[in-house]
Amino acid sequence: MSTTTATSAATTEQGDKPIEFYTASTPNGRKVSVFLEELKAAYGLQYNARRITLSRNEQKEEWFIKINPNGRIPAIVDNSNDGFKVFESAAILLYLASRYDKERKFSFEPGSLDESEALQWIFFSHGGIGPMQGQANHFVSSAPEKIPYAIERYINETKRLYSVLEIRLNGREYLAGPGKGTYSIADINAFPWVNGHKTVTETLDNWPSVKAWVERIRAREQVQTGLKVPVSA
């Protein structure tokens, strides 16, 4: 059971734990919550999770814009580093890894080829899977009118990106690292999107290596806990 607690806007930078985490139940938010749970289990890092209510546009309120000028979740404030603010989910993962993953349990030696490999897959997901699947989700589920061209375009592009993952994961367990790979922030960055594939495809059977990778990651206790953050109101 996660020990994360809610904070209020008034205590934005004055929480009782090192990391103040502002999030919602979205794939981008879950990237960070999963990694925070991994860091908590590995190093004891504690954090407060604050639910941002997207339906009320809370992310556009003045207090939050001071944390993330782009008005999007997730974002963090690091109370142990003079209230340093970080936004953009991949940037948050990289910041947390550089500051708190001292034993490189989820990341790689700076300047190494393994790190370069991980960064390539992080950027691939951040610039590809997330935006394309996000658009697919919007046009399938949220758009005020059904636009067949847009639905087909973004679903097909997301499936193409899944096929790129399939090429990489064929014979591997994880995206980056030597041999069959090492579980890392490269995987954490992509997993929540692919785990939420049902808007795009009912099953991952057409991508068996991707399916096995999703199941492998989902089986981790910390991942299961991280996917439940923020706690339902």
Side-chain angles (χ1 to χ4, degrees), residues 32-45 47 105-106 183 188 217 220-224 226:
V32 179
S33 57
V34 164
F35 192 32
L36 284 169
E37 286 296 325
E38 295 284 10
L39 292 171
K40 183 165 68 173
Y43 300 103
L45 179 66
Y47 69 98
K105 294 182 178 181
F106 310 102
Y183 176 64
I188 294 169
I217 295 173
R220 295 178 64 89
E221 180 180 354
Q222 292 78 24
V223 171
Q224 293 174 28

Side-chain angles (χ1 to χ4, degrees), residues 95-132:
Y95 172 81
L96 291 171
S98 68
R99 184 165 175 82
Y100 293 105
D101 186 20
K102 300 301 186 183
E103 298 175 18
R104 302 294 171 196
K105 294 182 178 181
F106 310 102
S107 55
F108 302 97
E109 190 65 29
S112 67
L113 295 180
D114 289 334
E115 183 198 44
S116 176
E117 198 170 60
L119 288 172
Q120 292 170 56
W121 289 103
I122 288 171
F123 295 157
F124 165 80
S125 177
H126 198 72
I129 295 176
M132 295 300 101

Side-chain angles (χ1 to χ4, degrees), residues 48-159:
N48 291 312
R50 161 75 152 89
R51 174 185 288 276
I52 300 299
T53 306
L54 303 181
S55 62
R56 296 206 305 263
N57 273 336
E58 190 175 5
Q59 73 277 14
K60 304 299 185 183
E61 293 180 5
E62 182 179 357
W63 71 268
F64 188 77
I65 294 297
K66 292 178 181 178
I67 297 172
N68 180 2
N70 195 34
R72 297 285 191 273
I73 63 93
I76 65 168
V77 176
D78 189 345
N79 295 316
S80 70
N81 194 17
D82 296 324
F84 187 70
K85 304 174 182 68
V86 190
F87 65 93
E88 287 293 328
S89 57
I92 295 171
L93 297 185
L94 291 166
Y95 172 81
L96 291 171
S98 68
R99 184 165 175 82
Y100 293 105
D101 186 20
K102 300 301 186 183
E103 298 175 18
R104 302 294 171 196
K105 294 182 178 181
F106 310 102
S107 55
F108 302 97
E109 190 65 29
S112 67
L113 295 180
D114 289 334
E115 183 198 44
S116 176
E117 198 170 60
L119 288 172
Q120 292 170 56
W121 289 103
I122 288 171
F123 295 157
F124 165 80
S125 177
H126 198 72
I129 295 176
M132 295 300 101
Q133 189 167 330
Q135 290 295 325
N137 290 349
H138 172 77
F139 283 107
V140 170
S141 303
S142 302
E145 61 178 300
K146 295 295 183 183
I147 305 174
Y149 170 78
I151 293 171
E152 181 179 8
R153 169 180 167 78
Y154 289 114
I155 285 180
N156 286 344
E157 178 61 8
T158 303
K159 289 179 177 179

Side-chain angles (χ1 to χ4, degrees), residues 7-28:
T7 62
S8 67
T11 59
T12 296
E13 300 176 42
Q14 302 174 1
D16 60 342
K17 296 177 182 176
I19 302 296
E20 300 292 329
F21 172 40
Y22 301 88
T23 191
S25 298
T26 71
N28 284 334

Side-chain angles (χ1 to χ4, degrees), residues 108 113-121 168-169 172-187 213:
F108 302 97
L113 295 180
D114 289 334
E115 183 198 44
S116 176
E117 198 170 60
L119 288 172
Q120 292 170 56
W121 289 103
R168 177 58 174 171
L169 289 167
R172 295 180 61 90
E173 293 185 353
Y174 299 106
L175 289 171
K180 291 189 175 184
T182 303
Y183 176 64
S184 74
I185 56 173
D187 304 288
W213 170 79

